[in-house]
Amino acid sequence: MTVNGRQVPLAGTVPHATALELLRGVGFTGAKEGCAEGECGACAVLLATEGPDGGTVWTPVNACLVPAHALDGQEVVTAEGLGTPDELHPVQQGLAAAGGSQCGYCTPGFVCAMAAEYYRPDRAPAPGGTGPEAQDPEHGPNGFDLHALSGNLCRCTGYRPIRDAAFALGMPQPGDPLRRRSEGGAPPPATTDIDVDGARFVRPETLADALRLLRDEPDAVPVAGSTDWGVEVNLRAARARLVLAIDRLPELRTTTVSDDVVELGAAVPLTELERRIAGDVPLLAQLIPQFASRLIRNRATLGGNLGTASPIGDAAPVLLALGATIVLVSADGGEREVDLADYFTGYRTTVRRRDELIRTIRIPARRAIPGVGREVSGFVKVAKRRFDDISSVAVAVAVDIDDDGVVVAARIGLGGVAATPLRAYATERTLVGRPWNAQTAAAASLVLQSEGTPLSDHRASAAYRTRMLGTALPALYASTTAVPA
């Protein structure tokens, strides 16, 4: 592992240690532990990842969640590696000039997240110049996307000076070391097998190797982005005898789009998935910006979100509304395809066997169907914060409407209202055969409120969750009234 150009050995590091623990242990103390669950961004560092053109993209990640051994053979840059007290990096200089730091605890994380956006390959100044008319509240005249900082929290400086510093940044100069480095390729994944104190971390070379380990090692825990497992390790002291890293397996990182189906590799990070699918799956494109923060999405995967089987996972309702299936693979049984509506069996339980992995998620492609005029879809997430929050209720809807304005098919996925994500079959039946209008949406919303068995907890009461279910369809209809049939 290379950190700021220096080789850092991993030998002797226990398998449950995080990258943050390793970095701080060898003297890179800029990265801090704030929340230990990926919500504050104080631990952010830059990781060299493969770009779409074969070059390197500097990707910010939460070091508190990434297993240290997952970075075997990889290249990391921390806030210390960006600049020095005598020669600050442009991002550091910009934050200092704008007064963007008080206590400074969160500042190294902001610096790394901001630097990743500074080096984003397709960032470009707005064509309208540098005046107020050249920017919106979330994008600067320099092309800086403020959502790049959505996973970083500050409790004493105030965000205005941080925003001002971000929007005042120039472009990397030709001689900039990290810009020059990005022109070369990122380090490939390293095959890893480490055993320390009776615990083991393995990064297999192939999917077949991973499946054989799952079959032969009953205690193996498959881990992809580690955005969920990392929390279990940090906050609940979870320990595994064998951690099986599957995040870099080529067989799990492909995406294909055809006339019939869209296939999404289970281990493709959501940020990369967003770039790859573009406008091929509009409903999924609505979901991804609302899924946690950019820092989390840089590691989180659809396979991991479905593998944890959380009833409040944001991906499941959308994939249910899309009619998705998942392909499960094992060393002995080959492949089997399961309708996602049949996948969940109870609270955090599924039909996936211990020796199986999710290989891909299949979504039927929307083809031109005779008589179908348009598709209406939407994702409604009810949470206490607009971004970077766990949903209290999630509703995803996909409705096909014919040339006469009548609903011919409907699929609705729900999250947060039962022990599992679920399809709202009764509501779907209510919609089919009726005109897509305000009256139909209102009538179906009454049925939707009866779907599921919501509970009361610290996020929302059962009554509130039921009421929010009733608002989803009228809101979706209102958002489509201006769309021509």
Side-chain angles (χ1 to χ4, degrees):
M1 173 180 173
T2 302
V3 183
N4 302 334
R6 166 184 153 191
Q7 289 296 317
V8 174
L10 287 165
T13 303
V14 293
H16 64 262
T18 66
L20 179 64
E21 292 173 308
L22 176 67
L23 291 170
R24 293 183 61 79
V26 296
F28 298 110
T29 55
K32 305 293 194 294
E33 180 181 286
C35 64
E37 55 184 335
E39 289 193 0
C40 73
C43 65
V45 298
L46 295 173
L47 178 63
T49 64
E50 184 179 357
D53 59 354
T56 291
V57 173
W58 293 110
T59 301
V61 299
N62 292 114
C64 76
L65 298 179
V66 180
H69 287 286
L71 300 181
D72 186 14
Q74 301 304 292
E75 187 174 344
V76 173
V77 173
T78 70
E80 296 96 331
L82 288 171
T84 68
D86 296 326
E87 190 174 351
L88 295 177
H89 185 274
V91 167
Q92 296 167 323
Q93 182 63 52
L95 277 170
S101 176
Q102 286 191 38
C103 82
Y105 195 90
C106 68
T107 305
F110 269 100
V111 164
C112 287
M114 195 178 293
E117 180 67 4
Y118 176 73
Y119 289 111
R120 176 163 59 88
D122 57 349
R123 181 175 71 90
T130 59
E133 70 283 354
Q135 66 185 72
D136 61 53
E138 297 175 348
H139 297 84
N142 58 356
F144 192 101
D145 182 357
L146 205 56
H147 286 283
L149 305 181
S150 65
N152 298 82
L153 300 182
C154 178
R155 288 293 180 251
C156 59
T157 303
Y159 293 104
R160 183 56 183 267
I162 297 173
R163 173 182 179 271
D164 290 346
F167 285 2
L169 288 172
M171 305 301 290
Q173 297 303 303
D176 184 296
L178 291 186
R179 176 180 170 176
R180 290 202 313 268
R181 170 64 188 84
S182 67
E183 295 171 358
T191 302
T192 304
D193 192 338
I194 186 80
D195 192 326
V196 178
D197 297 335
R200 191 176 169 200
F201 182 98
V202 177
R203 181 185 297 286
E205 185 174 0
T206 67
L207 177 60
D209 294 337
L211 293 173
R212 280 192 291 270
L213 272 171
L214 274 183
R215 179 193 61 194
D216 299 339
E217 300 284 349
D219 297 328
V221 175
V223 175
S226 196
T227 56
D228 185 80
W229 175 249
V231 176
E232 295 295 313
V233 169
N234 291 339
L235 300 188
R236 298 176 183 88
R239 300 292 183 263
R241 195 187 69 78
L242 170 58
V243 172
L244 182 62
I246 60 174
D247 57 312
R248 301 292 294 274
L249 292 174
E251 300 94 331
L252 305 184
R253 290 178 66 91
T254 61
T255 58
T256 59
V257 179
S258 69
D259 291 339
D260 298 320
V261 68
V262 177
E263 292 218 12
L264 309 174
V268 180
L270 293 181
T271 297
E272 190 172 339
L273 195 63
E274 183 178 29
R275 173 181 59 80
R276 289 189 193 180
I277 65 168
D280 293 312
V281 188
L283 187 54
L284 199 59
Q286 290 184 49
L287 159 72
I288 292 177
Q290 299 181 63
F291 192 110
S293 68
R294 184 80 59 83
L295 284 169
I296 293 294
R297 295 196 297 272
N298 287 340
R299 294 280 301 174
T301 65
L302 286 181
N305 200 241
L306 296 176
T308 62
S310 170
I312 53 175
D314 286 339
V318 168
L319 294 172
L320 284 167
L322 290 168
T325 62
I326 61 174
V327 176
L328 299 170
V329 293
S330 66
D332 300 323
E335 292 189 355
R336 62 181 178 127
E337 189 170 359
V338 178
D339 191 315
L340 187 59
D342 300 324
Y343 171 72
F344 303 100
T345 58
Y347 179 73
R348 287 189 178 269
T349 60
T350 71
V351 300
R352 183 177 67 86
R353 301 192 309 267
R354 183 199 57 77
D355 65 333
E356 290 180 312
L357 287 175
I358 301 173
R359 183 178 68 80
T360 190
I361 296 95
R362 287 179 177 160
I363 299 171
R366 185 177 186 273
R367 292 170 290 174
I369 304 173
V372 175
R374 63 187 174 106
E375 181 188 60
V376 170
S377 62
F379 175 60
V380 177
K381 176 175 177 175
V382 179
K384 292 186 176 182
R385 298 194 304 268
R386 183 183 175 198
F387 295 108
D388 197 14
D389 200 5
I390 296 172
S391 61
S392 299
V393 176
V395 182
V397 182
V399 177
D400 288 330
I401 304 167
D402 68 14
D403 292 329
D404 296 323
V406 176
V407 177
V408 295
R411 296 178 303 278
I412 301 174
L414 305 178
V417 295
T420 68
L422 51 85
R423 278 276 296 272
Y425 289 113
T427 307
E428 294 172 6
R429 290 191 294 269
T430 300
L431 286 169
V432 174
R434 296 189 178 188
W436 178 243
N437 56 31
Q439 291 73 29
T440 296
S445 72
L446 297 177
V447 180
L448 189 56
Q449 289 182 77
S450 68
E451 305 262 22
T453 54
L455 301 175
S456 295
D457 60 20
H458 66 283
R459 291 191 183 91
S461 67
Y464 178 79
R465 286 187 162 100
T466 296
R467 183 70 187 94
M468 290 301 99
L469 283 177
T471 66
L473 286 172
L476 176 61
Y477 173 75
S479 71
T480 65
T481 53
V483 180

